[in-house]
Amino acid sequence: MKNNNCVLGALHCNYRDDFATVIAAEHSGGTVFLDNAATTQKPKIVVEEICNFYRGINSGEQRGVQTTQNKLILSYERSRKNIAAFINADDSREIVFSNGVTESINFVANSFITPVMKGGEIIITEMEHHSNILPLANGLCKI
């Protein structure tokens, strides 16, 4: 997967040029805050693909048999395979898409609740972020 500056996964790339907020701040002499708690800055290639999605294949996945849905499903599956290869996953079916980190944390945390109900334990450190603890605590309160 190529963009203007590098190949995805290459060790020596100029990623700064891929982020509009960094370029704008550098030109204005401002500071760039890379606070990813709520909204992650996206590189140009991601913004372009999001625009392409809305222009061409915006539809519900697995909700029909029209050409648009087929293109969308192929796009999702191609993404799964690319991500699986990039992180060295055994199978592309191991890749799960979510709406964001909070939903992902909740999904993983809820998967631990059933073993705990059967006498298991969840061990966390005092350094855990609050967002990691709440789903576990809420799930345990329901037991």
Side-chain angles (χ1 to χ4, degrees):
M1 212 180 294
K2 285 190 174 186
N3 66 17
N4 296 336
N5 302 310
C6 65
V7 176
L8 183 63
L11 296 176
H12 302 288
C13 295
N14 186 3
Y15 292 109
R16 297 169 71 84
D17 293 341
D18 286 336
F19 293 88
T21 52
V22 173
I23 295 168
E26 287 177 344
H27 288 286
S28 67
T31 304
V32 177
F33 294 96
L34 300 175
D35 179 2
N36 293 343
T39 303
T40 301
Q41 299 300 320
K42 292 160 186 61
K44 289 178 191 175
I45 193 167
V46 172
V47 173
E48 290 167 4
E49 287 302 315
I50 290 169
C51 289
N52 290 339
F53 169 83
Y54 283 116
R55 286 187 194 115
I57 59 173
N58 183 24
S59 65
E61 183 193 17
Q62 310 287 344
R63 296 185 189 265
V65 293
Q66 294 90 351
T67 304
T68 305
Q69 277 94 8
N70 289 336
K71 287 181 183 177
L72 178 65
I73 291 166
L74 291 173
S75 177
Y76 266 79
E77 295 310 316
R78 186 172 50 251
S79 296
R80 281 184 217 285
K81 287 178 183 172
N82 288 340
I83 294 166
F86 184 70
I87 66 171
N88 201 27
D90 291 331
D91 193 318
S92 64
R93 292 174 294 180
E94 296 176 12
I95 307 304
V96 178
F97 295 115
S98 72
N99 289 321
V101 174
T102 301
E103 183 181 57
S104 296
I105 289 171
N106 289 336
F107 179 76
V108 171
N110 288 327
S111 70
F112 287 114
I113 299 303
T114 302
V116 170
M117 290 171 56
K118 296 177 182 172
E121 293 182 60
I122 295 174
I123 300 171
I124 60 173
T125 69
E126 59 189 32
M127 296 176 61
E128 290 299 329
H129 191 275
H130 191 249
S131 64
N132 292 338
I133 297 170
L134 277 180
L136 295 170
N138 290 336
L140 292 173
C141 288
K142 293 176 185 176
I143 295 176

